[in-house]
Amino acid sequence: MNQQEQNFEIDRLAKTLRQVSEQIQISEQSSDNQRDTLQATLRDYWKSGGGNSTDEAQFIETMDRQRALSTHIHYSARHLHKMLKSPYFGRIDFTETDERRPEMIYIGIGSLSDKETGSFLIYDWRAPVASMFYDYGQGAAAYHCPAGTITGVISLKRQFKIVNGQIEYMFDSDLKIDDEILQQLLSKSADDKMHTIVNSIQREQNQIIRDQAHRVLFVEGPAGSGKTSAALHRVAFLLYQDRAGLTSQNVLILSPNHIFGDYISSVLPEIGEENVVQMTFQDYVARSAAEMPVQFEARTTYLEYMLTPNPDPKRVANIRFKSSEFFCQALLRYLDRLASDRVDNYPAITVRGETIFYQDEWRHYYTGSFAMMPPVLRLEKIKTIIQKRLSEVIQRIRQEKIEEIIIAGEEINEKVIKALARIQTRDELRATTDQLEQLTTLDVLNEYKQLFKHNRLLTETGLAIPADWEIIQKQTCAFLQKGLLPYEDIPPFLYFQGILQGFPAKPDIKHVIIDEAQDYTSFQYKILAQLFPNCSWTIVGDPAQAVQPYLMTASFKEASTSIGVENTLLFRLTKSYRSTREIQALCQALLPDAGEVFSVNRSGPLPVIVQVQQSREQTAVIASTIQAMLDQGWRSIGVITKTAAQAMTVYPTIDHTVRPSLVTKEDDEFYRGVVVMPAYLAKGLEFDAVLVVNADDINYSHDQDRHILYTICTRALHRLVLYYTDTPSPFIARLDPALYKNKPDW
């Protein structure tokens, strides 16, 4: 790039910024005018004293329209202010086939057109033409738009870094987003939030973001491969593509916990979109638990127990069974029986020898007229029919009782006579009404108990009895007897309840993102498919980062079956952008059976594995390491333990002059700086430096512990230190000594 081209880009940026400034003034003036109009409309309406219902409806419609316009103008102004700092980050010169001159296409976080000529100064990164910036280098290129496929040639691809309206650097590149930009981004200290990656989207990520051909998109990739970022940018792309049919309120992100939800909350606003609805699966569980007579075991309670060195083998057997495909299929088969055969042996309802509801009518209504309803509602509908018929009989019997009382001459007060007749009728029909109540009441919790109490699950489905069935039976009944629904029972029970009672479906949700999907069971996917029946899906995860020991989570193939959608695509990412090459090498060595992961060629010091003589010394060494990291300029330091109990033990020992934060609950906020937290709450987060506490053979010796240790280590961007006393974890002991050092450089 010669000096003339550099001067051109400087002048072009100045022209663009002038346009942005002018449009900010226009937008803010429009916002002021719109606010004044809104206030005037309100003032005039109240001055006039309101009006009839038609006037009121028109007023509400006018107000809604004006508010919507005011909100749109406000967001436009806010977006323009962001563009004033960095209006674009890329340029391609593209010559369409049969055209002679190339068009200079500048790409940024939003579109901007010249007010006088109407020509585009900047294209939104989500625009069809902008896709070529991510997918092609110089040479033949094409993009798809409503008019069809546009072909041509890219003759120039240029990248910029513009900060506060000034070009810090610019260079020409070819096919991929140049490693120079990635190096600059990755070498920075981690901030307290996840940020947009629009200026460094890689080709494979771009394919994920822009896919519209599949209703369900599965994304599998190693730690740091950009799965979450791609999913969030995919939301922004879908919102951009369908402004009329899709809003932020139609999109749901299912995060692993509220800490992670807080961590990703800045991404969409950075690229000009409102934040979408966020929740965790536990939020749904909490709402369901509020209506139940039993207590639901908290996820953190379950994890704290199961992450102890020697959990009860009986509980382990229970967990494995309740999350297995066998149990899933058994429960589905049992539910089919409830939906079709429950009333087969129900008797006719008779009063004084008169049949008011015949035996075959049970099946007629249950599997015929009301078959589209959940079983609980079907029985309620049938009960209403029987009660209506019974009411006619009741009236006749009451009249008979009244006449009998009058003839007996025991009472002369009319009100007393009628009251006595009602009581006598009720007593005579008590057996019938009690029978009706029993036949038409389906207690979901009791039905679930019976699956285990009387072997009903297996005897009525014809399935073979598993080896641990007696243990599973006894333990389940013991928990329920105490009024506690164990964590492993929650998803199957909620699915069981939903099928019998009906799910609180949310048809207005049109797209769902599931993050950390490797921790979901088949029952959870089945529940979500019922809750959100009209949506498309982006499901991202990494099987290597499973941190729920003994739980039989669903593969993406099983998840696809559970969701019940055929039009799916599995996309595998293989490159990690988070950790240095040295940290990545050690992490990969912890999981030798995992697929190969390629890392960005960013070097750093070797990870450090330190042996300390006793626990008290470990806390002192950790404190000095934290201070050394802070002195080096690293702002984000994760002190990660296996459990929350260990985190609470370590936290008080840290010198509080470094202002550490303790995170042990799923609804805590994400804090920047020094954070002490358990492994299962660190999922999806990243830190400049990670200090792994108690990396010994007590905490990390079983095969399921390997994945937890791997997950912790992959949180580190620049520095990784592991501490142990006595004997290291066998997974560490087997590492090639060339992958780490035993003493830090600080």
Side-chain angles (χ1 to χ4, degrees):
M1 187 188 308
N2 58 38
Q3 188 61 47
Q4 183 179 357
E5 288 179 293
Q6 291 182 26
N7 291 337
F8 171 81
E9 294 293 3
I10 292 170
D11 291 342
R12 208 271 181 184
L13 175 61
K15 176 186 175 183
T16 302
L17 293 177
R18 283 196 297 272
Q19 280 279 344
V20 173
S21 296
E22 290 173 8
Q23 292 190 31
I24 285 174
Q25 289 182 346
I26 295 170
S27 183
E28 289 180 342
Q29 183 60 52
S30 297
S31 181
D32 291 342
N33 292 342
Q34 190 61 38
R35 186 174 59 250
D36 292 343
T37 302
L38 195 62
Q39 290 174 347
T41 303
L42 276 168
R43 196 165 46 247
D44 292 346
Y45 182 78
W46 294 118
K47 269 186 182 178
S48 66
N52 56 35
S53 58
T54 303
D55 293 336
E56 190 167 324
Q58 290 176 343
F59 169 73
I60 292 171
E61 183 183 349
T62 300
M63 291 296 295
D64 286 343
R65 188 167 58 248
Q66 289 180 349
R67 282 197 187 99
L69 181 58
S70 181
T71 301
H72 173 72
I73 293 170
H74 171 72
Y75 279 117
S76 296
R78 193 169 69 179
H79 198 56
L80 286 166
H81 275 290
K82 289 180 181 177
M83 294 180 72
L84 197 59
K85 295 179 179 179
S86 183
Y88 48 82
F89 53 82
R91 166 189 165 184
I92 53 175
D93 288 3
F94 179 66
T95 307
E96 289 187 25
T97 303
D98 299 330
E99 293 288 337
R100 292 184 178 181
R101 293 185 178 181
E103 179 185 0
M104 290 186 294
I105 298 168
Y106 285 81
I107 299 162
I109 61 170
S111 296
L112 183 76
S113 57
D114 189 303
K115 282 295 182 184
E116 293 181 4
T117 65
S119 60
F120 273 100
L121 297 172
I122 306 170
Y123 285 88
D124 191 295
W125 66 276
R126 297 164 288 185
V129 69
S131 65
M132 294 188 293
F133 177 73
Y134 304 108
D135 288 341
Y136 295 97
Q138 293 183 24
Y143 67 95
H144 303 284
C145 66
T149 301
I150 309 299
T151 60
V153 174
I154 293 175
S155 54
L156 179 121
K157 183 172 180 180
R158 184 167 290 166
Q159 294 173 251
F160 305 87
K161 183 178 182 183
I162 301 172
V163 178
N164 294 325
Q166 299 292 322
I167 298 176
E168 287 200 355
Y169 61 75
M170 53 184 162
F171 58 88
D172 295 342
S173 61
D174 197 7
L175 177 61
K176 63 185 177 63
I177 306 300
D178 199 275
D179 269 355
E180 183 174 340
I181 279 191
L182 285 173
Q183 294 280 14
Q184 292 250 354
L185 291 171
L186 296 171
S187 63
K188 286 184 176 180
S189 177
D191 205 340
D192 59 335
K193 302 283 184 183
M194 180 181 284
H195 291 288
T196 173
I197 57 167
V198 289
N199 59 337
S200 62
I201 292 170
Q202 302 296 283
R203 187 174 188 177
E204 64 273 16
Q205 294 169 332
N206 194 47
Q207 291 174 297
I208 293 167
I209 291 167
R210 294 175 186 267
D211 183 272
Q212 293 179 279
H214 301 90
R215 188 173 164 193
V216 182
L217 192 65
F218 292 101
V219 182
E220 182 181 302
S225 57
K227 302 182 295 297
T228 301
S229 291
L232 292 171
H233 285 70
R234 176 168 167 75
V235 168
F237 173 77
L238 294 174
L239 290 170
Y240 176 86
Q241 290 292 310
D242 188 13
R243 290 293 186 199
L246 191 69
T247 72
S248 59
Q249 295 304 304
N250 303 132
V251 180
L252 170 70
I253 297 176
L254 276 166
S255 298
N257 51 60
H258 290 285
I259 302 163
F260 184 74
D262 182 44
Y263 179 64
I264 65 173
S265 62
S266 63
V267 175
L268 289 171
E270 277 190 24
I271 45 183
E273 299 292 348
E274 292 183 65
N275 261 323
V276 299
V277 183
Q278 285 198 52
M279 64 177 284
T280 68
F281 190 82
Q282 291 306 112
D283 291 333
Y284 171 65
V285 170
R287 284 198 287 269
S288 302
E291 303 170 1
M292 296 302 299
V294 292
Q295 182 181 352
F296 284 32
E297 183 181 22
R299 179 171 176 266
T300 50
T301 304
Y302 157 81
L303 285 170
E304 283 294 296
Y305 174 71
M306 297 315 299
L307 291 175
T308 55
N310 297 300
D312 183 357
K314 295 178 182 178
R315 181 76 189 272
V316 170
N318 207 15
I319 291 167
R320 284 181 168 150
F321 177 75
K322 298 290 177 53
S323 57
S324 68
E325 279 299 306
F326 177 90
F327 182 52
C328 185
Q329 294 307 313
L331 200 62
L332 292 177
R333 196 177 295 188
Y334 183 80
L335 285 167
D336 284 342
R337 291 284 303 273
L338 280 179
S340 59
D341 302 341
R342 183 176 181 86
V343 299
D344 281 358
N345 298 317
Y346 274 26
I349 305 297
T350 61
V351 179
R352 291 184 173 181
E354 176 188 352
T355 301
I356 64 169
F357 194 80
Y358 291 90
Q359 188 175 20
D360 60 356
E361 286 187 281
W362 286 105
R363 187 159 187 83
H364 167 74
Y365 286 110
Y366 191 80
T367 62
S369 302
F370 304 143
M372 298 304 292
M373 298 178 183
V376 169
L377 294 183
R378 295 188 220 177
L379 292 173
E380 288 179 0
K381 283 282 189 181
I382 294 172
K383 180 180 179 180
T384 302
I385 291 172
I386 296 173
Q387 285 176 331
K388 186 175 181 180
R389 295 182 187 179
L390 189 60
S391 66
E392 298 174 2
V393 176
I394 290 172
Q395 291 303 319
R396 288 204 310 268
I397 294 175
R398 279 184 186 172
Q399 190 57 44
E400 290 178 14
K401 300 292 184 185
I402 288 172
E403 291 173 2
E404 290 173 1
I405 295 169
I406 292 172
I407 292 171
E410 296 175 358
E411 290 288 345
I412 58 172
N413 185 291
E414 183 179 352
K415 288 185 178 179
V416 173
I417 292 172
K418 287 182 178 180
L420 288 171
R422 280 198 300 272
I423 293 170
Q424 292 175 12
T425 303
R426 185 185 63 202
D427 290 343
E428 181 179 336
L429 296 178
R430 188 181 302 279
T432 301
T433 55
D434 286 350
Q435 180 192 35
L436 177 59
E437 191 68 28
Q438 182 181 6
L439 292 173
T440 58
T441 298
L442 203 163
D443 185 318
V444 176
L445 182 60
N446 186 59
E447 287 288 333
Y448 189 77
K449 288 178 182 177
Q450 299 308 314
L451 297 177
F452 305 96
K453 194 171 182 180
H454 298 302
N455 276 345
R456 191 180 289 177
L457 174 68
L458 300 178
T459 56
E460 294 195 16
T461 57
L463 293 170
I465 296 176
D468 297 324
W469 177 242
E470 190 174 341
I471 293 172
I472 293 162
Q473 269 188 301
K474 288 181 178 178
Q475 188 163 87
T476 304
C477 291
F479 272 122
L480 293 173
Q481 188 66 31
K482 294 176 185 175
L484 177 68
L485 189 70
Y487 178 79
E488 61 269 22
D489 280 275
I490 292 173
F493 173 75
L494 290 180
Y495 183 73
F496 187 79
Q497 180 190 46
I499 292 297
L500 294 183
Q501 289 186 344
F503 289 90
K506 305 291 184 185
D508 55 322
I509 296 296
K510 298 180 181 179
H511 190 80
V512 170
I513 290 177
I514 301 178
D515 208 340
E516 302 293 342
Q518 72 276 357
D519 290 329
Y520 282 68
T521 65
S522 292
F523 277 121
Q524 287 175 290
Y525 283 114
K526 288 180 180 297
I527 290 168
L528 294 173
Q530 295 283 344
L531 291 176
F532 311 113
N534 301 330
C535 73
S536 56
W537 308 73
T538 303
I539 301 173
V540 303
D542 176 16
Q545 295 183 67
V547 299
Q548 299 195 74
Y550 314 111
L551 201 67
M552 309 289 284
T553 53
S555 67
F556 279 171
K557 183 178 180 181
E558 291 165 340
S560 180
T561 301
S562 296
I563 292 172
V565 176
E566 293 183 359
N567 190 19
T568 67
L569 175 67
L570 173 60
F571 207 104
R572 284 190 173 89
L573 298 172
T574 58
K575 195 168 188 178
S576 177
Y577 302 96
R578 177 181 294 149
S579 305
T580 61
R581 185 173 63 245
E582 291 77 10
I583 293 174
Q584 184 67 46
L586 184 139
C587 292
Q588 283 303 110
L590 289 172
L591 291 179
D593 297 331
E596 187 175 6
V597 177
F598 303 95
S599 61
V600 174
N601 191 22
R602 181 171 64 89
S603 186
L606 286 170
V608 180
I609 300 176
V610 180
Q611 181 181 17
V612 292
Q613 298 306 313
Q614 52 187 333
S615 297
R616 282 179 295 178
E617 182 187 344
Q618 179 177 240
T619 57
V621 173
I622 289 173
S624 64
T625 303
I626 291 172
Q627 192 57 58
M629 296 292 183
L630 293 172
D631 292 342
Q632 291 175 20
W634 303 122
R635 298 198 301 255
S636 174
I637 301 170
V639 181
I640 305 180
T641 59
K642 189 179 182 184
T643 66
Q646 291 178 5
M648 288 187 282
T649 300
V650 170
Y651 174 72
T653 68
I654 295 176
D655 184 353
H656 279 232
T657 60
V658 300
R659 290 183 293 178
S661 299
L662 177 64
V663 175
T664 58
K665 298 177 183 176
E666 293 195 303
D667 55 358
D668 284 342
E669 294 181 4
F670 178 76
Y671 298 96
R672 65 179 302 170
V674 180
V675 183
V676 184
M677 66 194 318
Y680 53 85
L681 294 183
K683 290 169 65 66
L685 308 181
E686 58 184 30
F687 303 90
D688 292 330
V690 166
L691 314 184
V692 186
V693 183
N694 298 326
D696 51 41
D697 62 341
I698 296 176
N699 281 288
Y700 303 100
S701 59
H702 301 293
D703 191 55
Q704 60 270 11
D705 297 329
R706 184 196 296 270
H707 292 273
I708 299 170
L709 185 59
Y710 168 83
T711 302
I712 296 173
C713 292
T714 55
R715 303 304 95 206
L717 278 79
H718 307 289
R719 301 288 186 270
L720 175 63
V721 187
L722 299 94
Y723 304 93
Y724 71 92
T725 55
D726 299 325
T727 307
S729 161
F731 311 123
I732 293 174
R734 295 174 197 146
L735 292 174
D736 182 345
L739 293 174
Y740 62 89
K741 53 190 175 183
N742 297 117
K743 290 184 179 180
D745 294 334
W746 51 88

